[in-house]
Amino acid sequence: MKKILDLITEEMEKAFGKAGYDGKYGRVTVSNRPDLCEYQCNGAMAAAKEYHKAPIMIASDVVEALADTEVLAEAQAVSPGFINLKISSSFLSGYLNDMHKEERLGYEKVKEPETIMIDYGGPNVAKPLHVGHLRSAIIGESVKRIARFAGHKVIGDVHLGDWGLQMGLIIMELKERKPDLPYFDPDFQDAYPKEAPFTIAELEEIYPAASARSKEDTAYKDAAMKATFELQQGHRGYQALLKHILNVSVSDLKRNYANLNVDFDLWKGESDAQPYIPDMVRKMKDEGYAYESDGALVVDIKEETDTKEVPPCMILKSDGASLYTTTDLATLVERMKLYHPRRIVYVVDKRQEMHFVQVFRCAKKCGLVEADTDLKFLGFGTMNGKDGKAFKTREGGVMRLEYLLSDINEEMLKKIRESRPMSDEEAGEIAKVVGLSAVKYGDLSNQASKDYIFDIERFTSSEGNTGPYILYTIVRIKSILKKYEEQAGAVLEAPILAEENESGRALMRELARFNAVMENAYEELAPHKICAYIYDLANAFNKFYHETSILGTEDEHVKKSRIQLLVLTRRVLETCIGLLGFEAPERM
Ligand code: ARG
């Protein structure tokens, strides 16, 4: 369906034409003075230059030409030349009826779907998920859903950190603790055991221990570096250990992400890119892009227009080991070969921006991707505690994601218990669903690139711009519909009729914005636009609800129409929260 603003604009273009002016001046926007009008057109001001006429005269001519419009209820020329507009109630309700008939609520799929990859999550194996990974998961999941809803073919990839020194450290530490394992026996020829020689709990303890020790013990660190190198060279026992580490970590990660309502199409990692490295490096050297500098292999990527220094992109260290850049470049080679994406969006901490500038430039320069492959860095800010510093545990350590979520759930449970009596089981389930909305909405309602303060009190409140407030609104609608069903037997299809009171019209205008908001949220990869929209919509609905008797409406047609208006509002809100990655309970 066309966007409502475009339909009003078309009407204005016609009127400009009819009055003898160029239709291009008919552009309409939502009013920035809602106390005066709903929409406005400022075209007469611009047209004044071309026609050497006072803007107010042009505006008056245009208003006259609108005499028999069915789209607008009022049009007024005001000095110095604005045209203030009010939409016709029946046109508005007609639009909503069309929208209500459509499964996608009038949001059309893109004509030419593209393959888009979203690189998000980015956990490191053998390390517990911490709050830093939370934002990537939440934002990436939402962006994935928004792009998919737009009609694109979207592939979400978790891109595990499963390569580099951390692996060598785990291997070394295991060797110290369990030297008799066959993985360390160079003469071992048989097949390695299927069972991993550790649990996730052990693994999570092994890594920090090894990491701490390597900072003090250089011999230990050297051994870990050697193990890393041997692993990278294909050491059979270490490769087998890597598989175990991956399996154990991934099943734990899957459980954690499932609790967040986040899921990935691909569970690939840095290690999957390894087979592509040798050919890639050869090509970069052969084609003269990569050269040696202080023993390392680098590619120059600075550009004349740079305002700050962009250092050369390092491809291999002097000892021949690969780096974070190497795996990201080789992953691009792999992605182009296997999926041929038109676009890749990286949802990563904004402090990694320089790394991605280097990777993107290097990939383009060396022809690893096509000239028009769109590589996009969606950098996000830090989640801070109330003190304005990076979020920490009470003891000052890095906060594990699981603990953070259980803190939220506890707070939510307390609030839910206060609201009405219910069984422990029900309270627990509702707390989980609503708690997730609190975390996700709290995050997504901020522009991704900004830092924000994680405030449990505020996020879990059912008042204000929060997830629970949105859910309360949906639950309120559900409960009115249930009551209606009890009274009337069923919610039957009926046309939505024009509402003449201001709160009804305002709700309808908000609903009519849906497809425009979806389009914009995709174009800007901006879930916060959806949050802002549903907050406005929920406010408009609650105002309407407080001012209008819905179940008490006398006229049966009007009552049925209002019930449909509620159904439509629920559909829009539920579609939107689905795109943000959470859902509403039946009751709260
Ligand atoms: N594992 C990385 C980290 O924890 C994030 C990975 C982001 N994605 C990428 N393609 N580099 O910092």
Side-chain angles (χ1 to χ4, degrees):
M1 271 171 75
K2 285 188 179 166
K3 287 172 276 183
I4 193 105
L5 269 183
D6 289 346
L7 290 170
I8 307 174
T9 296
E10 277 173 18
E11 190 70 2
M12 292 305 285
E13 285 169 354
K14 266 195 281 171
F16 269 87
K18 211 163 142 195
Y21 304 101
D22 195 325
K24 73 177 182 213
Y25 293 111
R27 185 90 231 135
V28 171
T29 56
V30 172
S31 163
N32 51 20
R33 284 289 304 274
D35 51 323
L36 296 179
C37 60
E38 298 168 350
Y39 303 94
Q40 67 187 58
C41 171
N42 302 345
M45 314 286 279
K49 286 197 198 84
E50 182 178 338
Y51 297 99
H52 305 292
K53 237 182 181 179
I56 189 71
M57 287 173 69
I58 299 177
S60 305
D61 291 345
V62 173
V63 166
E64 218 166 280
L66 283 168
D68 45 30
T69 171
E70 281 170 13
V71 176
L72 299 160
E74 275 171 33
Q76 212 184 3
V78 293
S79 74
F82 299 115
I83 306 174
N84 289 350
L85 304 169
K86 186 175 166 188
I87 195 168
S88 127
S89 299
S90 58
F91 181 76
L92 186 57
S93 55
Y95 188 85
L96 295 192
N97 281 314
D98 290 346
M99 190 175 152
H100 203 10
K101 274 185 214 115
E102 290 200 23
E103 200 193 326
R104 293 172 50 86
L105 295 159
Y107 177 46
E108 280 169 35
K109 284 193 180 171
V110 285
K111 301 254 160 14
E112 287 166 29
E114 295 171 347
T115 299
I116 301 175
M117 293 190 81
I118 317 279
D119 180 314
Y120 71 112
N124 300 312
V125 298
K127 293 194 214 170
L129 282 178
H130 61 79
V131 298
H133 294 116
L134 181 68
R135 294 211 72 191
S136 180
I138 292 178
I139 300 167
E141 180 70 21
S142 180
V143 166
K144 181 185 79 181
R145 293 177 186 212
I146 292 169
R148 202 166 272 167
F149 189 47
H152 295 290
K153 179 172 183 282
V154 187
I155 306 171
D157 183 6
V158 71
H159 199 71
L160 294 168
D162 59 357
W163 203 242
L165 185 59
Q166 56 190 4
M167 293 298 144
L169 284 166
I170 296 168
I171 292 172
M172 270 324 292
E173 187 61 24
L174 266 173
K175 196 171 173 181
E176 297 255 314
R177 295 183 186 196
K178 308 183 182 183
D180 297 335
L181 288 174
Y183 310 93
F184 306 116
D185 175 359
D187 299 324
F188 188 79
Q189 298 289 338
D190 295 345
Y192 290 112
K194 290 217 160 51
E195 277 293 298
F198 42 70
T199 62
I200 184 69
E202 279 176 89
L203 207 51
E204 286 182 353
E205 184 263 317
I206 286 175
Y207 175 73
S211 167
R213 184 165 162 202
S214 73
K215 292 197 178 100
E216 268 135 41
D217 184 341
T218 32
Y220 183 84
K221 186 172 177 188
D222 288 345
M225 274 163 66
K226 183 157 170 270
T228 310
F229 187 74
E230 285 171 345
L231 171 72
Q232 298 192 352
Q233 299 305 310
H235 184 293
R236 192 171 156 261
Y238 295 174
Q239 291 278 349
L241 272 178
L242 174 70
K243 280 219 180 74
H244 285 311
I245 299 172
L246 275 175
N247 284 341
V248 170
S249 277
V250 165
S251 45
D252 185 61
L253 286 168
K254 283 191 173 159
R255 183 181 57 80
N256 271 290
Y257 282 122
N259 284 335
L260 281 174
N261 219 348
V262 166
D263 80 291
F264 299 93
D265 305 295
L266 298 179
W267 279 84
K268 291 192 158 265
E270 295 169 354
S271 67
D272 288 290
Q274 298 314 306
Y276 297 87
I277 294 178
D279 275 352
M280 177 183 85
V281 171
R282 198 168 314 125
K283 175 179 147 79
M284 288 174 159
K285 277 193 198 157
D286 287 353
E287 294 177 8
Y289 296 118
Y291 66 93
E292 261 179 45
S293 163
D294 292 332
L297 193 68
V298 302
V299 172
D300 279 333
I301 43 162
K302 60 173 189 286
E303 287 171 7
E304 261 170 41
T305 48
D306 288 342
T307 50
K308 61 179 171 201
E309 191 185 334
V310 181
C313 184
M314 208 194 277
I315 310 297
L316 293 177
K317 286 200 278 198
S318 49
D319 62 1
S322 54
L323 308 98
Y324 190 37
T325 19
T326 327
T327 46
D328 264 325
L329 287 166
T331 300
L332 275 172
V333 175
E334 182 193 24
R335 287 178 176 163
M336 291 311 283
K337 179 164 176 235
L338 301 184
Y339 313 105
H340 203 92
R342 174 71 189 51
R343 189 170 199 208
I344 307 177
V345 182
Y346 293 80
V347 187
V348 185
D349 192 312
K350 72 177 175 199
R351 287 170 290 192
Q352 292 192 26
E353 181 161 17
M354 185 50 92
H355 164 78
F356 284 98
V357 168
Q358 292 181 306
V359 168
F360 295 172
R361 283 191 187 178
C362 184
K364 284 260 155 97
K365 180 170 178 179
C366 302
L368 306 183
V369 297
E370 282 155 30
D372 66 349
T373 307
D374 181 12
L375 301 175
K376 169 122 182 106
F377 177 64
L378 187 64
F380 53 80
T382 311
M383 183 177 121
N384 290 324
K386 269 189 172 170
D387 57 0
K389 299 204 189 93
F391 201 86
K392 291 268 158 64
T393 58
R394 257 174 240 129
E395 292 73 36
V398 176
M399 183 76 155
R400 279 180 76 134
L401 191 58
E402 279 173 283
Y403 301 155
L404 177 111
L405 292 180
S406 66
D407 281 0
I408 281 264
N409 276 4
E410 224 168 86
E411 181 65 25
M412 219 51 250
L413 197 58
K414 212 172 79 200
K415 293 209 160 114
I416 282 165
R417 282 250 167 72
E418 282 161 11
S419 72
R420 68 178 170 87
M422 62 178 99
S423 73
D424 283 353
E425 198 194 336
E426 191 187 1
E429 259 158 39
I430 295 176
K432 222 173 126 189
V433 176
V434 184
L436 190 60
S437 83
V439 180
K440 288 198 164 184
Y441 192 93
D443 188 308
L444 294 170
S445 53
N446 302 286
Q447 202 178 319
S449 61
K450 300 226 165 90
D451 297 348
Y452 75 94
I453 291 183
F454 187 84
D455 182 343
I456 292 197
E457 256 313 293
R458 189 169 78 75
F459 288 3
T460 55
S461 166
S462 56
E463 278 159 39
N465 191 6
T466 68
Y469 170 67
I470 305 292
L471 296 193
Y472 260 110
T473 307
I474 296 175
V475 166
R476 167 173 282 162
I477 296 176
K478 286 186 180 181
S479 103
I480 303 171
L481 291 176
K482 204 179 275 158
K483 270 200 203 119
Y484 177 80
E485 247 181 305
E486 280 160 16
Q487 281 175 11
V491 174
L492 294 179
E493 261 179 53
I496 295 173
L497 306 173
E499 289 282 343
E500 293 307 336
N501 63 338
E502 181 38 38
S503 65
R505 289 174 52 88
L507 171 60
M508 290 174 126
R509 287 198 305 276
E510 284 299 340
L511 287 167
R513 279 172 59 206
F514 174 75
N515 56 5
V517 174
M518 294 303 110
E519 191 180 290
N520 183 242
Y522 171 67
E523 275 167 3
E524 298 187 17
L525 300 177
H528 75 276
K529 300 260 166 150
I530 296 181
C531 294
Y533 171 61
I534 54 178
Y535 182 52
D536 286 347
L537 178 58
N539 281 337
F541 170 77
N542 286 314
K543 188 152 195 281
F544 174 70
Y545 166 80
H546 287 299
E547 288 181 7
T548 322
S549 137
I550 294 166
L551 293 176
T553 307
E554 299 252 322
D555 185 316
E556 264 314 304
H557 292 295
V558 177
K559 185 160 159 181
K560 280 192 177 139
S561 153
R562 288 185 173 158
I563 289 298
Q564 285 307 318
L565 192 56
L566 261 62
V567 176
L568 180 60
T569 307
R570 188 192 66 192
R571 286 182 66 200
V572 170
L573 286 172
E574 286 191 325
T575 303
C576 289
I577 63 170
L579 295 174
L580 299 175
F582 56 89
E583 52 205 44
E586 280 313 302
R587 310 200 300 160
M588 259 166 99

